[in-house]
Amino acid sequence: MSTTVAQPNYSEQQHWHKLPQWQAIEQWWHQQSHSQLSQLHNELQHQLRENGAAVDPWHNSARQLDLLPWLIDSKQWQSLESGLAQRHTLLNAILADLYGPQQLLQHSIIPADVIYLNASFLLPCAGLTDDQGWLSLLACDIGRNSNGQFCVYNDLSQMPAGLGHVLEHRLAFNNTTTELNNQVKKSQLAGFFRQLQQLLQQPAEGSQQQQLAALLTHQQRDTAYFEHAFLANYLDIALVHGADLMFKNGKLWLKTLSGLQSVHSIMRYLEDNSCDPLELAAASSGCAGLLQSIRQQQLFCANPPGTALLESGALLPFIAEACQFLLGEPLQLPTVNALWCGMAEALATVKQQPEHYCLQHLISNNQIIPARLTSNELTTLWQQVSQQPQAYIARQILPLSQLPCWSVTEQLQPQAAAMRLFSLRDHHQHIEVLPGALGRTDVNPHNLQTSLGQGFNQQFNAKDVWVLAEKTQSNSLLPSASKQIILSRQAGLLPSRVADHLFWLGRYNERLNLICRALRAALPLLSSDDKAQGQQDARILLQFCLLANGAPPAPDASVTLLLEPLFSANNPQGLVAILKNLLFNAQSVREYFGEDTWYVLDKLQHAVYSWPAQPDWQQPAALLRTLDEIILLQTAIYGINNETMSRTHSLRFMDTGQHLERALQTCGLLHSIFCQCTPGASLLEALLRMADTMLTYRRRYHSVLHPLPIVDLLLLDGSTPRSVAYQCSVLLHQVKKLPPQQFSVNDTALRQGNESQLASELQALLQQTDPQLLFDERQQATPELSQLLLQLQLRLRQLSDSITLSYFSHVDLHNQWQRF
């Protein structure tokens, strides 16, 4: 079907010319050169990347933040604020009625088919909470209609996406356009987030202690997940998955290293059906018992399951009449023109002008855009609709309004614009509206009005929305306190899943570091004078690089066949795969790291993705510089975390993972070099350079390269930071400080597991070894060396498994430890 997309007929900029704030922006804009504007635009995007939520782990850009804000004057804002507050009250009342007495159905305000055919109406949620507890958070998508009026075309209630993005955008502007911020006075966002924080962490009756609050998210590492992590970190609440929680004694509990901790409130960012596998979708990623804990008033949930009914669009045609019925007053903020196709007249109207409407199928929850269908597809659609017209809602597509945007061509161009407003309802039924919004722009208005339940898609550009004010208020979430505060040195709770991610973050970071060091040592060998010997030595190091990340042995592979998989972006054993795993674990615990760490991680990501498509192995200078940069950045990550993270279990698990990986891979490297071949001088020198021990070796042994002192230095010498003995000493120190565990679910006593025993065995193996027995008189490795290295690797893997079973999996440890 070929149609012309309705273009915006209202320009926001025409209204702005009357505002002194816009005149200040125009003046500032004209004072900037073209290069300065480009630099500021790039700096804005850089700020988003530093926050860690503008890119996903696979290095894809998620959105662009426009350099020009969207201005809302005080008169416009008062109308929007009042209208949204009324709508929030109304929608809460509608949900309380539909999941309660259903007066709206009995009085035919809303047809019963619209509710009972709706996949988003969940019967298990009937009577789930009291009348005032249905809608704590609400987001509304708002745009201008053909008359230039703001109207609501979508309500988001089950997981109001974009709240974290609003915060990110404002912080990015504050850190980038300081001069502009000082010239334009605008309302700050911190007050809204402070109210949200207080709502979630409000102490229980009779208690002065803040309650444990959590943000429940999904397990996919998409841009929405990173927004959730950013928001949880800002609000100082735990970021949890369904697997982190358990239902016991009528309550929801968080599994932590210190045991089970009662959860008081949850900010839910899971779809309704995914929240409780016991009562809702069985294959969901939520927590069984979540609904029951809400019913028993043991858990406050913002928002409880069942609220997705609003997002289906089923209520849009009946909002105005429901407002008059429930609140006894007219609707202040208009709703988009929407029709229920169960009425013959409404269906005929939609058929006459299908390009002006978007259809929502209530049973499948699918969205259909007639303007994008061919004539045959449109005919098929009407046949399907005619079979069950009461299952379809038609929503008119708005023309929206125009905003000037800094385009990819680095020019100002008009684009269609819409914004998402957010409101909060506290326990006293007071409604707070966020004095800002999530602005979105696109050349096609249709793109801003489809897939509405989603967060940001890549084709959307973002706008920071400024609500103009007479003066600027405080912009900090941490207000100064006049009351006395009790000092604390507690580190807070560490969920088992978080400890797991930190442990593997340490392991993958060290693995990437070791492989890059081995590559840096191997590449110069390819251009040595003795090419045959150089290639043989390089092949040993390259084999180690692949084996370190789980690749099968390939002893007869050529150098080229070994190098290509390492640099292939699609190889699961290559460098890019290790980086993806590193970032996956880092993003999963992003709330534990400061801005400097994310800055370095962004640089590290960029360095790895800057590999040439086909590196020139014979001219490796550029590649060696990149490897130098990666190793330097990883060293910076070690240093920053050790300088900034408190000496708590969070750093302890990451440190344990790093030293365990270094010990394990060093044993594997020594076995490959000394037990599977007879190394020459060039390979021995490369090994020392790889381990940063060349200077130490020369000071002790001058210029003579000898296998025995090299193995002693890298295996048995506890004073060498890269030796296996040093790693085992650190591991013993760290595991002794791990929290005690229950041996079984019926055992209330807390005791240490066998991690200390395994770490002690590792150290004993090394201390009892006589170095002279590891090589014979011909300087060939003896079977004792191979046996020692294999035993060390076995114990290190057992230690890793034991830590996993004790602290991450929470299995019955008494039975599991019999395997060791």
Side-chain angles (χ1 to χ4, degrees):
M1 178 179 181
S2 177
T3 61
T4 301
V5 176
Q7 294 299 318
N9 56 12
Y10 183 95
S11 172
E12 300 287 347
Q13 193 173 354
Q14 293 176 356
H15 173 74
W16 292 352
H17 283 301
K18 307 172 186 177
L19 302 174
Q21 292 90 340
W22 173 248
Q23 295 171 10
I25 291 178
E26 275 192 317
Q27 182 180 1
W28 172 85
W29 186 273
H30 292 307
Q31 289 174 352
Q32 312 301 312
S33 66
H34 190 275
S35 60
Q36 287 175 318
L37 292 173
S38 298
Q39 183 178 354
L40 285 170
H41 172 80
N42 293 335
E43 181 61 26
L44 271 180
Q45 316 322 313
H46 177 73
Q47 287 290 326
L48 292 185
R49 287 197 303 274
E50 280 198 11
N51 288 333
V55 294
D56 63 20
W58 321 136
H59 202 247
N60 296 321
S61 176
R63 66 189 186 277
Q64 294 284 309
L65 178 58
D66 194 71
L67 192 53
L68 273 178
W70 184 345
L71 304 184
I72 302 293
D73 66 26
S74 57
K75 184 177 180 181
Q76 283 181 329
W77 180 246
Q78 288 174 4
S79 175
L80 288 171
E81 184 179 36
S82 174
L84 189 62
Q86 184 206 45
R87 190 179 188 88
H88 196 144
T89 302
L90 171 62
L91 294 180
N92 184 82
I94 290 176
L95 287 172
D97 178 76
L98 293 177
Y99 284 109
Q102 298 190 332
Q103 293 294 312
L104 290 169
L105 303 187
Q106 295 179 30
H107 289 79
S108 300
I109 305 297
I110 299 176
D113 282 344
V114 170
I115 302 303
Y116 291 117
L117 287 176
N118 199 320
S120 298
F121 181 71
L122 304 178
L123 286 174
C125 296
L128 184 63
T129 185
D130 61 63
D131 290 352
Q132 303 302 329
W134 276 103
L135 204 59
S136 298
L137 280 169
L138 175 66
C140 292
D141 285 323
I142 293 178
R144 292 193 186 270
N145 58 20
S146 55
N147 297 325
Q149 283 184 304
F150 278 122
C151 67
V152 178
Y153 64 85
N154 183 49
D155 299 296
L156 293 99
S157 49
Q158 62 174 339
M159 43 181 188
L163 188 58
H165 291 329
V166 177
L167 180 60
E168 286 180 87
H169 299 164
R170 184 59 56 87
L171 292 175
F173 261 97
N174 289 345
N175 294 332
T176 304
T177 57
T178 307
E179 182 182 355
L180 184 61
N181 281 321
N182 293 335
Q183 293 183 16
V184 179
K185 304 301 181 185
K186 55 187 176 294
S187 299
Q188 300 299 323
L189 310 178
F192 178 89
F193 287 100
R194 192 179 301 118
Q195 292 290 330
L196 176 57
Q197 188 181 52
Q198 292 173 357
L199 175 69
L200 296 172
Q201 297 181 339
Q202 180 174 327
E205 292 186 12
S207 173
Q208 298 296 322
Q209 187 176 3
Q210 286 186 341
Q211 301 297 302
L212 176 58
L215 190 152
L216 179 60
T217 183
H218 55 238
Q219 297 180 2
Q220 299 174 351
R221 297 308 186 270
D222 53 13
T223 53
Y225 181 90
F226 305 144
E227 179 200 359
H228 302 163
F230 182 84
L231 190 58
N233 188 36
Y234 187 78
L235 293 172
D236 192 25
I237 60 178
L239 180 70
V240 301
H241 298 168
D244 298 330
L245 305 170
M246 68 174 295
F247 179 74
K248 182 180 179 181
N249 298 332
K251 291 184 178 182
L252 216 58
W253 302 82
L254 176 65
K255 294 180 283 189
T256 75
L257 297 181
S258 305
L260 298 178
Q261 301 291 329
S262 175
V263 179
H264 171 262
S265 59
I266 276 183
M267 185 177 180
R268 179 176 66 91
Y269 272 92
L270 275 182
E271 293 183 356
D272 278 9
N273 259 321
S274 299
C275 287
D276 191 332
L278 187 63
E279 298 194 49
L280 301 173
S284 67
S285 58
C287 175
L290 186 140
L291 261 64
Q292 185 63 15
S293 61
I294 297 174
R295 282 194 198 98
Q296 296 181 357
Q297 298 183 358
Q298 298 297 317
L299 178 72
F300 169 71
C301 186
N303 293 322
T307 54
L309 182 62
L310 302 178
E311 293 190 13
S312 68
L315 305 180
L316 290 177
F318 317 105
I319 287 290
E321 193 173 353
C323 184
Q324 196 67 50
F325 179 80
L326 292 174
L327 304 184
E329 58 190 38
L331 190 66
Q332 295 181 27
L333 188 60
T335 298
V336 65
N337 182 28
L339 304 172
W340 178 48
C341 294
M343 299 180 65
E345 294 180 1
L347 180 58
T349 301
V350 177
K351 284 185 174 181
Q352 289 175 3
Q353 295 180 318
E355 68 276 9
H356 293 159
Y357 289 90
C358 167
L359 291 182
Q360 187 79 24
H361 189 217
L362 300 179
I363 299 176
S364 66
N365 220 4
N366 289 334
Q367 196 175 78
I368 308 159
I369 314 296
R372 297 175 181 174
L373 303 180
T374 64
S375 298
N376 292 336
E377 290 171 337
L378 196 58
T379 301
T380 303
L381 171 64
W382 297 135
Q383 291 174 353
Q384 294 173 347
V385 172
S386 63
Q387 294 175 6
Q388 199 176 21
Q390 65 271 29
Y392 290 87
I393 298 290
R395 173 173 53 82
Q396 193 174 48
I397 299 292
L398 298 174
L400 303 182
S401 56
Q402 284 187 342
L403 281 177
C405 299
W406 183 251
S407 69
V408 292
T409 60
E410 299 187 345
Q411 299 291 333
L412 284 178
Q413 293 183 352
Q415 289 192 8
M419 63 175 151
R420 182 169 292 178
L421 296 179
F422 299 87
S423 55
L424 172 69
R425 181 185 175 98
D426 64 20
H427 294 301
H428 305 291
Q429 289 77 57
H430 170 74
I431 294 177
E432 179 88 10
V433 179
L434 178 70
L438 176 65
R440 299 186 297 165
T441 65
D442 198 282
V443 293
N444 187 343
H446 281 201
N447 293 337
L448 299 174
Q449 300 175 71
T450 56
S451 301
L452 297 174
Q454 313 278 328
F456 256 89
N457 288 333
Q458 290 188 16
Q459 66 267 32
F460 292 145
N461 294 320
K463 281 265 189 189
D464 191 22
V465 179
W466 292 4
V467 176
L468 303 179
E470 294 296 327
K471 61 179 181 179
T472 300
Q473 299 92 0
S474 169
N475 57 4
S476 173
L477 189 61
L478 300 172
S480 57
S482 56
K483 298 181 180 179
Q484 187 176 7
I485 190 169
I486 300 175
L487 295 179
S488 172
R489 291 180 181 174
Q490 295 182 354
L493 301 174
L494 184 65
S496 299
R497 176 189 56 83
V498 172
D500 191 4
H501 285 303
L502 289 167
F503 177 74
W504 280 99
L505 174 60
R507 291 198 63 172
Y508 280 117
N509 194 33
E510 181 63 26
R511 188 175 302 179
L512 181 62
N513 185 275
L514 287 169
I515 292 176
C516 287
R517 287 177 176 274
L519 272 172
R520 187 172 65 174
L523 290 177
L525 295 175
L526 297 176
S527 56
S528 63
D529 295 336
D530 188 346
K531 288 190 176 181
Q533 184 63 44
Q535 291 215 350
Q536 181 180 339
D537 293 341
R539 190 181 294 115
I540 295 172
L541 294 177
L542 295 176
Q543 284 277 8
F544 162 76
C545 292
L546 289 170
L547 290 172
N549 202 36
D556 299 326
S558 66
V559 169
T560 301
L561 291 178
L562 292 172
L563 280 167
E564 287 180 351
L566 281 171
F567 292 92
S568 171
N570 300 318
N571 180 30
Q573 282 87 35
L575 284 166
V576 173
I578 301 175
L579 175 70
K580 288 180 179 182
N581 287 324
L582 189 159
L583 290 174
F584 172 87
N585 285 282
Q587 292 284 12
S588 300
V589 291
R590 60 156 297 130
E591 67 271 25
Y592 284 80
F593 301 115
E595 295 179 2
D596 290 339
T597 300
W598 288 109
Y599 176 78
V600 177
L601 281 172
D602 183 56
K603 292 286 188 183
L604 177 63
Q605 186 175 205
H606 182 269
V608 173
Y609 276 88
S610 65
W611 296 126
Q614 294 183 342
D616 184 357
W617 318 121
Q618 303 303 321
Q619 302 292 332
L623 201 53
L624 287 171
R625 284 195 297 271
T626 303
L627 289 169
D628 287 340
E629 182 183 1
I630 292 173
I631 294 168
L632 179 63
L633 290 170
Q634 289 190 292
T635 304
I637 293 175
Y638 292 143
I640 291 171
N641 290 334
N642 276 282
E643 287 292 327
T644 59
M645 294 182 70
S646 299
R647 268 46 184 173
T648 59
H649 291 315
S650 55
L651 179 60
R652 182 161 295 117
F653 274 99
M654 188 166 60
D655 194 58
T656 300
Q658 173 198 332
H659 289 286
L660 193 149
E661 184 72 19
R662 183 178 294 179
L664 183 65
Q665 299 298 351
T666 302
C667 288
L669 178 63
L670 294 176
H671 192 273
S672 297
I673 291 178
F674 294 102
C675 300
Q676 296 178 358
C677 70
T678 302
S682 59
L683 182 55
L684 293 176
E685 183 176 346
L687 174 61
L688 290 171
R689 293 189 184 279
M690 175 184 166
D692 276 337
T693 52
M694 176 62 79
L695 294 178
T696 303
Y697 185 88
R698 283 179 174 171
R699 280 195 296 267
R700 293 183 183 180
Y701 305 103
H702 305 292
S703 60
V704 179
L705 290 174
H706 200 284
L708 177 57
I710 291 177
V711 168
D712 179 66
L713 189 65
L714 297 181
L715 181 63
L716 304 174
D717 186 355
S719 66
T720 303
R722 289 197 165 270
S723 72
V724 176
Y726 180 85
Q727 314 314 314
C728 292
S729 175
V730 173
L731 287 172
L732 179 60
H733 173 77
Q734 293 288 32
V735 298
K736 283 184 175 180
K737 292 189 174 182
L738 292 177
Q741 292 288 299
Q742 289 179 327
F743 274 67
S744 69
V745 293
N746 298 318
D747 188 359
T748 57
L750 294 175
R751 296 191 289 270
Q752 288 289 348
N754 73 334
E755 291 81 24
S756 295
Q757 177 186 338
L758 287 167
S760 297
E761 290 177 6
L762 283 166
Q763 201 166 42
L765 274 172
L766 293 165
Q767 291 174 348
Q768 294 169 8
T769 297
D770 183 356
Q772 300 299 330
L773 300 178
L774 302 180
F775 288 88
D776 58 24
E777 64 278 1
R778 296 175 301 168
Q779 304 308 314
Q780 300 290 323
T782 62
E784 283 80 359
L785 176 59
S786 177
Q787 183 180 1
L788 173 62
L789 292 172
L790 293 176
Q791 284 183 333
L792 289 170
Q793 288 178 291
L794 175 63
R795 291 290 192 278
L796 287 164
R797 291 191 175 97
Q798 288 177 340
L799 177 58
S800 178
D801 290 343
S802 181
I803 291 172
T804 298
L805 293 172
S806 297
Y807 297 101
F808 310 151
S809 301
H810 291 281
V811 298
D812 189 335
L813 301 178
H814 180 71
N815 294 328
Q816 289 291 339
W817 282 340
Q818 303 306 314
R819 62 185 288 190
F820 301 124

